[in-house]
Amino acid sequence: MNMTDNVKSTNKTSEMAGADAANKANTTQKTEQLDSVRDDATNEALTTNQGVKIADNQNSLRAGIRGSTLLEDFILREKITHFDHERIPERIVHARGVGAHGYFQAYEGNERLTKAGFLTDPTIQTPIFVRFSTVQGPRGSADTVRDIRGFAIKFYTQEGNFDLVGNNAPVFFVQDGIKFSDFVHAVKPEPDTEIPTGATAHDTFWDFVSLVPESAHAVIWAMSDRAIPRNLRSIQGFGVHTFRLINAEGKSHFVKFHWTPKQGLSALVWDEAQKLAGKDPDFHRRDLYEAIENGVYPEWELGVQIVEEEDEMNFDFDLLDPTKIIPEELVPVTPIGRFVLNRNVDNFFAETEQVAFCPGHIVPGIDFTNDPLLQARLFSYTDTQLSRLGGPNFHQIPINKPVCPFHNNQRDGIHQHTIHKGQASYQPNSIDNDWPAETPPAASNGGFESYPEQISGHKLRQRSETFSDHFSQPRLYYKSLAPHEQKHVVDAYTFELSKVQRKHIRERQVQQILANIDLDLARQVGANLGIEVPDLTLDYKKTAVEKSAKLSFLAFPPQDIQGRKVVVLIHNLVKSDALEAMKNWAIKEGVTLHLLAPSLAPVKDHQDSIITADGMQMAEPSIAYDAVIIPDGDNLNVVMQDGVTRHYLLEAYKHLKPIAFLGNKSDLLEPLGLVPDEGTLVGDEFQPIAEKFKNLIMAHRVWSREQIAAHIPA
Ligand code: HDE
């Protein structure tokens, strides 16, 4: 195949990821991908929902050719009635989401912790369904807003469904479920105007959190890079609450669940996040979908922090307090398994929208603790499905159905799918020999038994004194970040609070919350907002850990650059020889390479051969890519007069992306007022700089450029 043919065959899906993906991509034509996969597409008659064949699907039944429509038209009525009810209430929180299927596989040696079969048998691949979400925005809101991400996993185990309904932050905004609806009302769009969509930068949110110091820890996570992830493949997940694992001998350990992406952690820069919200509101869901379609299967390692029961009270915070982490210096994370997402949904509504998670879905070998937030969640999730999915039978919807058998005496109700047979729908019964019968608890495969925790005390509405330190851990978080991450936190508080109309709310947040977290943080934000921070000598509580390595992104570098996206800006007279080397490199590294031209008009290379572009620069902005390559060409100086191309380069530079100039053309930066630096590579050919380029992409951003980039207009 000559070079030009090769380039011609490039399309959006053909340059993809790793050996697997390369094979897959080579055999998958774009046209095939566009083919429908519905199973009734041939030889099936169009019918009503009652199975009646439809003779005319174009015209309603009329009284005369120009007469009124007849109420009798059962086909029209059925069709419209169904359509009228196609939308169901969206989730009150976490409405915007995207899901995918995959599997979980346990590592060896977990028996000492739990008897749960899916966690102890490393030969089983347990099917899972994961749904990622934002919290604040409605179902149609943008993906890249600043928000905590939900990360819910349904494990379809042989002992029943286990739902790990977590977030990408390890702490929550309130300590007690009775405050949840107050928090959500404050964070949601304000009730009088329904503004803002998908944002916390408004008065009611900051009013609430500045009055509720227990929120300080979750808020600082939300003000950090954690809340603007680059994609959903590179976020960590946390179970937040302390749970129990129970082994076959009935011994309990406290655990906190963590899951960490093999891809490493990475974030957008705030300017990118805001622009993407307009230019590609589906940025995260598109990325996840494309990665899975292209065989770049995202993977996480599931781990637990394990605390012996007798150590429960040995920390300077309460294990039951969901606003606290256990620093990994005190209790490291023990890996217990891994999971992979390898299949996209066939139908968004049926799967992603109808999936119903509930922290109360657990299996023998796992149990709850008395965390007052968790206890309230156990009620809320099933309750919310009653209005969202229309009744108590939502477990019969295919995406929610256990894969193991389930039998009981629950009957009827809205949307009952099962035709139950027989007379006895109660227990005990003698008519059916008492079936279905109870299963006593056992070391394995037994019935569920709650951990017999001893409980005593008075009935009261009171929070334990051990829940009262609200500032040590946000301080720990801030102190543990790298300098550039700390700066992003300062910028985020500044941006958000600048949008708050009421001065007293801004002041309260800076003077009473931030000053208690860290005076330096408060002063920086205060200086930006014109708020004085008094010279306080705060009585900082001394804690066992003052800095924790595993809180910064720097602790989670990627192992490779699989699934990253690199753009090549092609143009007329481009020296296309270099494209071959780039293409081979992209396949080897599992990188998506997109050739973008100034327009969709055919591009002719230096040998007058046509190169097919994957898209045009205006429609596929640099914010959607990880790095940029400018190949050489005799027309380059003319191309660089174009506003779109200039902006392309300017933005890529501002957003700290690696840029490679072939033909040693880094002087193209000069007219834009930009200076070459360690993130701008030059070379005659691509091959000699390929390894350096890879390393820059691995580092994700050229952080050393950040100070200079701040002076570039957005
Ligand atoms: Fe949720 N939460 N939540 N939440 N939550 C819901 O359930 C709730 C909390 C989380 O992709 C709702 O089915 C209460 C913590 C995720 O479908 C609702 C409290 C954490 C998702 C609900 C909390 C979460 C939800 C809305 C405090 C992290 C999306 C629709 C007592 C550990 C799941 C639904 C999906 C969804 C209630 C606090 C995570 C209303 C009452 C803490 C990831 O039931």
Side-chain angles (χ1 to χ4, degrees):
M1 194 192 285
N2 72 30
M3 180 58 218
T4 319
D5 285 338
N6 220 358
V7 174
K8 265 189 208 163
S9 74
T10 305
N11 67 34
K12 268 190 192 186
T13 53
S14 66
E15 295 283 2
M16 305 304 309
D20 280 2
N23 290 339
K24 181 171 174 173
N26 287 340
T27 52
T28 310
Q29 295 300 311
K30 201 171 187 178
T31 47
E32 265 179 321
Q33 289 206 337
L34 295 177
D35 281 347
S36 171
V37 288
R38 60 183 284 175
D39 49 14
D40 56 357
T42 47
N43 298 327
E44 298 292 351
L46 182 72
T47 71
T48 67
N49 284 335
Q50 305 306 314
V52 176
K53 288 185 188 147
I54 296 173
D56 183 345
N57 192 35
Q58 319 306 322
N59 299 293
S60 51
L61 192 65
R62 298 171 179 80
I65 189 83
R66 297 183 60 251
S68 60
T69 306
L70 293 177
L71 187 60
E72 175 193 317
D73 189 348
F74 66 97
I75 298 177
L76 171 72
R77 274 189 291 115
E78 183 193 83
K79 199 170 168 184
I80 288 195
T81 306
H82 192 277
F83 169 77
D84 288 346
H85 299 276
E86 276 179 9
R87 293 293 167 270
I88 62 171
E90 64 176 32
R91 290 164 175 82
I92 169 69
V93 280
H94 297 265
R96 170 82 182 169
V98 58
H101 296 268
Y103 66 87
F104 168 82
Q105 200 152 12
Y107 296 154
E108 288 189 356
N110 299 331
E111 299 78 7
R112 73 182 182 95
L113 293 173
T114 178
K115 62 180 179 181
F118 81 105
L119 287 174
T120 49
D121 185 345
T123 64
I124 302 178
Q125 283 199 344
T126 300
I128 60 168
F129 185 77
V130 165
R131 184 174 178 274
F132 300 96
S133 48
T134 53
V135 180
Q136 199 262 15
R139 199 177 144 190
S141 56
D143 278 347
T144 58
V145 297
R146 175 177 295 283
D147 202 349
I148 298 298
R149 297 300 183 285
F151 194 153
I153 314 169
K154 192 180 280 294
F155 298 80
Y156 303 89
T157 89
Q158 289 305 320
E159 294 162 295
N161 286 352
F162 168 55
D163 291 354
L164 192 46
V165 196
N167 278 346
N168 77 331
V171 286
F172 199 67
F173 297 87
V174 290
Q175 293 174 321
D176 187 316
I178 202 166
K179 299 307 299 164
F180 183 68
S181 58
D182 291 306
F183 165 69
V184 173
H185 287 170
V187 70
K188 279 275 178 181
E190 296 182 3
D192 49 348
T193 56
E194 215 184 50
I195 295 175
T197 298
T200 46
H202 58 113
D203 280 42
T204 57
F205 174 76
W206 288 100
D207 189 26
F208 181 83
V209 298
S210 61
L211 289 168
V212 179
E214 73 202 49
S215 66
H217 195 190
V219 171
I220 197 168
W221 275 74
M223 292 304 114
S224 76
D225 289 349
R226 300 272 178 166
I228 42 170
R230 173 88 183 130
N231 53 50
L232 299 167
R233 297 179 281 131
S234 57
I235 63 174
Q236 245 182 326
F238 303 92
V240 175
H241 316 282
T242 302
F243 287 84
R244 288 176 182 277
L245 287 182
I246 318 289
N247 69 15
E249 286 78 51
K251 182 165 170 47
S252 158
H253 287 92
F254 292 111
V255 293
K256 280 205 185 265
F257 289 102
H258 290 232
W259 46 109
T260 300
K262 192 184 130 204
Q263 301 77 227
L265 300 188
S266 59
L268 295 167
V269 298
W270 180 226
D271 186 52
E272 269 181 325
Q274 294 179 84
K275 287 174 174 164
L276 278 166
K279 292 195 177 186
D280 188 1
D282 305 306
F283 184 67
H284 283 160
R285 65 167 62 163
R286 186 190 314 284
D287 172 88
L288 183 70
Y289 179 85
E290 285 182 358
I292 294 174
E293 281 306 288
N294 290 320
V296 184
Y297 299 139
E299 181 175 332
W300 284 259
E301 184 167 69
L302 182 68
V304 281
Q305 288 180 293
I306 307 161
V307 177
E308 298 287 339
E309 254 210 302
E310 45 279 24
D311 292 335
E312 180 180 3
M313 305 311 287
N314 288 349
F315 298 94
D316 44 33
F317 51 87
D318 197 318
L319 278 189
L320 301 185
D321 175 355
T323 67
K324 302 294 182 294
I325 60 160
I326 311 178
E328 291 187 39
E329 284 70 14
L330 299 180
V331 182
V333 176
T334 304
I336 58 171
R338 58 185 271 273
F339 62 91
V340 174
L341 297 181
N342 60 3
R343 181 161 64 88
N344 279 314
V345 299
D346 290 316
N347 184 283
F348 184 91
F349 180 84
E351 299 172 84
T352 311
E353 196 55 18
Q354 292 202 114
V355 66
F357 292 95
C358 175
H361 294 165
I362 53 168
V363 294
I366 304 176
D367 211 339
F368 315 117
T369 60
N370 299 330
D371 174 341
L373 197 70
L374 174 59
Q375 295 282 320
R377 291 181 78 199
L378 298 180
F379 166 74
S380 172
Y381 287 67
T382 308
D383 183 50
T384 204
Q385 308 311 341
L386 300 182
S387 55
R388 211 173 71 76
L389 296 173
N393 291 315
F394 59 87
H395 60 286
Q396 298 181 19
I397 297 172
I399 192 70
N400 295 322
K401 240 184 181 167
V403 295
C404 61
F406 60 102
H407 303 279
N408 57 43
N409 296 306
Q410 294 170 31
R411 290 292 182 271
D412 309 343
I414 286 178
H415 303 152
Q416 178 58 257
H417 291 209
T418 312
I419 301 178
H420 292 108
K421 294 185 183 156
Q423 286 173 283
S425 52
Y426 51 86
Q427 197 275 324
N429 71 69
S430 63
I431 293 179
D432 284 329
N433 250 340
D434 210 19
W435 292 105
E438 295 162 332
T439 311
S444 71
N445 263 325
F448 183 85
E449 183 187 38
S450 290
Y451 181 70
E453 179 184 351
Q454 193 173 355
I455 296 182
S456 69
H458 296 281
K459 190 156 71 171
L460 40 74
R461 289 185 186 275
Q462 201 179 305
R463 224 168 280 183
S464 166
E465 194 41 42
T466 50
F467 277 45
S468 61
D469 170 19
H470 304 313
F471 296 117
S472 300
Q473 289 219 342
R475 182 175 316 121
L476 168 70
Y477 184 63
Y478 184 66
K479 293 278 185 211
S480 305
L481 298 180
H484 67 270
E485 293 172 323
Q486 289 183 332
K487 175 166 185 309
H488 300 165
V489 169
V490 171
D491 290 349
Y493 276 114
T494 304
F495 175 93
E496 295 259 324
L497 288 167
S498 77
K499 300 266 188 185
V500 172
Q501 303 298 306
R502 292 171 177 81
K503 190 169 168 240
H504 71 271
I505 297 178
R506 296 195 297 269
E507 287 176 347
R508 191 167 56 216
Q509 180 64 25
V510 174
Q511 294 168 342
Q512 293 175 34
I513 303 290
L514 299 189
N516 273 296
I517 295 175
D518 184 86
L519 269 180
D520 191 45
L521 165 68
R523 286 202 186 106
Q524 290 186 63
V525 177
N528 291 341
L529 297 171
I531 297 173
E532 290 264 319
V533 178
D535 250 341
L536 306 170
T537 321
L538 293 173
D539 185 16
Y540 286 148
K541 185 179 162 195
K542 182 107 185 93
T543 49
V545 176
E546 306 273 307
K547 233 176 175 189
S548 179
K550 291 294 175 70
L551 296 176
S552 163
F553 274 27
L554 298 184
F556 303 96
Q559 297 162 10
D560 53 43
I561 56 169
Q562 262 207 48
R564 301 298 187 92
K565 292 181 186 155
V566 173
V567 61
V568 185
L569 299 185
I570 57 166
H571 38 84
N572 276 332
L573 302 183
V574 62
K575 291 188 180 154
S576 59
D577 319 18
L579 299 183
E580 178 80 48
M582 287 174 211
K583 188 185 162 193
N584 291 337
W585 171 82
I587 290 175
K588 183 173 109 229
E589 300 293 349
V591 161
T592 301
L593 202 66
H594 279 177
L595 308 187
L596 298 188
S599 75
L600 281 191
V603 170
K604 286 195 175 169
D605 71 2
H606 63 306
Q607 291 163 339
D608 215 28
S609 304
I610 290 182
I611 304 179
T612 309
D614 297 307
M616 54 192 283
Q617 294 163 18
M618 197 171 55
E620 314 289 337
S622 80
I623 46 181
Y625 294 92
D626 294 289
V628 180
I629 304 175
I630 319 259
D632 195 14
D634 289 344
N635 207 19
L636 205 48
N637 285 329
V638 179
V639 173
M640 287 310 297
Q641 304 302 316
D642 181 59
V644 174
T645 313
R646 286 162 68 88
H647 189 245
Y648 216 96
L649 211 52
L650 204 72
E651 268 201 326
Y653 189 93
K654 182 175 173 61
H655 297 144
L656 319 178
K657 310 236 162 107
I659 306 172
F661 296 90
L662 300 190
N664 291 317
K665 290 279 173 52
S666 68
D667 53 352
L668 292 172
L669 288 172
E670 224 171 89
L672 299 172
L674 309 178
V675 284
D677 61 16
E678 59 168 340
T680 54
L681 298 183
V682 285
D684 269 333
E685 309 277 339
F686 179 70
Q687 201 49 48
I689 58 168
E691 201 52 30
K692 266 196 181 160
F693 195 51
K694 176 181 172 179
N695 290 337
L696 286 170
I697 297 174
M698 285 266 261
H700 194 60
R701 306 270 173 191
V702 185
W703 293 117
S704 58
R705 189 191 291 159
E706 200 171 23
Q707 285 236 312
I708 299 174
H711 301 292
I712 301 170

